[in-house]
Amino acid sequence: EVRGSLRATPAALDTVDFLLNRIELPWHQRPVYAIAARAAVDLLPVWARDLLGLQPRGLRGQISAAAGRPLAWGFTTALRQALGPPEIAIAARARALG
């Protein structure tokens, strides 16, 4: 219902630019951040990516977008494995099993 009123304001575009291009991180954190940022962009609907100018451009952009999905999946899977199940899921399972 609100989609027609959404705009890519200068503030929104500046925020996107900062988060995707200008954020300063230590070198060892950059690959993980890049994967997470690509995954966040991929979660947006196509119309929102178009509005913000986030569609992959050129061959390099298409390769990056194609590689980002499986890398993000692997990253989030590894993170879930490292953290283990959330406490709420453990409690719910215990209640269900009696």
Side-chain angles (χ1 to χ4, degrees):
E1 293 177 22
V2 298
R3 179 175 162 185
S5 65
L6 296 176
R7 301 285 179 264
T9 64
L13 295 173
D14 186 54
T15 300
V16 168
D17 180 54
F18 173 77
L19 291 172
L20 297 180
N21 302 313
R22 294 182 295 152
I23 195 160
E24 294 187 22
L25 296 169
W27 67 269
H28 64 281
Q29 293 178 357
R30 291 178 192 157
V32 173
Y33 184 84
I35 292 169
R38 180 78 247 167
V41 169
D42 286 344
L43 288 173
L44 292 171
V46 172
W47 63 265
R49 283 183 264 155
D50 285 341
L51 188 66
L52 296 170
L54 294 174
Q55 293 298 347
R57 292 196 167 88
L59 182 60
R60 184 176 179 187
Q62 291 174 353
I63 291 170
S64 172
R69 287 180 183 93
L71 287 173
W73 179 85
F75 171 72
T76 56
T77 299
L79 190 59
R80 279 193 299 271
Q81 291 294 321
L83 295 176
E87 289 182 32
I88 194 166
I90 294 168
R93 188 172 293 121
R95 280 193 310 276
L97 295 174

